[in-house]
Amino acid sequence: EQLPKLRWCQVHTTVMLSEGQRYNTNVTCFGKFKEYIASNSNFNVNVSYNELYEKFFDNYYLEAAPYMKKYFEQMNAYMEYLESKPDEFGLAGGVYQEIGNVRYWPKQLLLNWLGIMDDAFKAIGKYKTTDASLCPKLYKHILIETLFPRYALCDLHPESYSQEEIDSLRREFKKDASALGVNEFAEHDYEKDAVNAKYKSWGLK
């Protein structure tokens, strides 16, 4: 018997929203940039990605823009590298593949990215004295992007630190993630017990 047509196939779509971590106040991995691209391209499909890229980074990060661009571009290049070697890394591009694996995230790569963001923090240092209201905003814009490499270090590389060091890294991560409103670690994962279970597995209350 032929199945009936699905009603959603008959709807004339004008806007498509990106999936995201809907319960997080802030989203890591340049979520704000994704929102900026979507908010512009939804109303003009002819917008220039390069122009939006430059405009967003230069205005969202100010003096820290060159460093955040460097991190963003390195992350993209690395993801393209992983994708180019499906046989070696076992990544076929499926959305349900488990990418939170230590083999994909070497410690030195994560530390290098955090080093770039340390330079970004230094670049906005002048605003501590020249603009007390702007400085915390810029600081948060950078801080949210430190969460991914820090999480990967805390969860994938604990054996490379002393117990005191890993405990400190994990406490600092939880403090910053909670302050930034990161309440879920994955899309559709708004179960506070799951987040709390991760912190508990780290030895945190």
Side-chain angles (χ1 to χ4, degrees):
E1 184 179 0
Q2 188 175 11
L3 294 175
K5 292 182 179 180
L6 297 175
R7 291 189 62 190
W8 60 265
C9 292
Q10 302 171 2
V11 176
H12 297 288
T13 301
T14 55
V15 174
M16 182 178 292
L17 296 178
S18 301
E19 291 185 312
Q21 300 166 35
R22 57 184 174 171
Y23 293 105
N24 280 338
T25 303
N26 287 297
V27 180
T28 61
C29 295
F30 298 95
K32 297 299 183 185
F33 179 46
K34 180 176 73 173
E35 293 170 9
Y36 179 71
I37 291 289
S39 66
N40 281 271
S41 59
N42 281 339
F43 299 99
N44 180 7
V45 296
N46 296 313
V47 292
S48 165
Y49 169 82
N50 289 332
E51 288 181 10
L52 293 179
Y53 169 74
E54 296 294 337
K55 185 175 181 180
F56 176 85
F57 276 81
D58 290 347
N59 287 278
Y60 197 68
Y61 297 109
L62 297 183
E63 282 81 358
Y67 304 102
M68 299 309 291
K69 287 178 182 178
K70 182 178 181 180
Y71 171 45
F72 178 78
E73 290 167 6
Q74 285 193 12
M75 178 184 285
N76 277 323
Y78 183 65
M79 296 306 296
E80 289 175 0
Y81 168 73
L82 292 180
E83 185 182 19
S84 72
K85 296 181 178 294
D87 294 334
E88 180 179 346
F89 291 106
L91 289 174
V95 296
Y96 296 109
Q97 288 188 282
E98 178 55 60
I99 199 170
N101 188 305
V102 66
R103 68 184 300 215
Y104 304 134
W105 308 108
K107 180 181 178 182
Q108 193 56 53
L109 175 70
L110 301 169
L111 292 176
N112 288 346
W113 285 346
L114 288 173
I116 292 171
M117 283 181 278
D118 282 342
D119 291 334
F121 283 125
K122 293 174 185 175
I124 63 167
K126 70 175 186 178
Y127 292 108
K128 291 180 181 179
T129 55
T130 62
D131 195 329
S133 62
L134 178 61
C135 189
K137 296 176 183 178
L138 292 173
Y139 182 82
K140 287 182 179 180
H141 292 173
I142 301 168
L143 186 64
I144 187 70
E145 300 307 337
T146 71
L147 291 187
F148 163 65
R150 290 166 61 192
Y151 178 85
L153 287 172
C154 288
D155 205 51
L156 302 178
H157 296 280
E159 73 288 341
S160 65
Y161 295 96
S162 69
Q163 191 61 50
E164 182 179 358
E165 289 171 333
I166 195 62
D167 287 347
S168 177
L169 288 174
R170 287 170 168 174
R171 283 194 302 269
E172 286 299 305
F173 174 88
K174 181 183 178 182
K175 176 177 70 70
D176 289 339
S178 299
L180 289 166
V182 177
N183 300 310
E184 55 182 336
F185 293 160
E187 190 175 41
H188 305 309
D189 187 33
Y190 190 62
E191 299 178 17
K192 293 210 170 184
D193 288 342
V195 175
N196 291 334
K198 173 58 67 176
Y199 288 143
K200 187 175 181 181
S201 75
W202 287 357
L204 304 176
K205 295 182 180 180

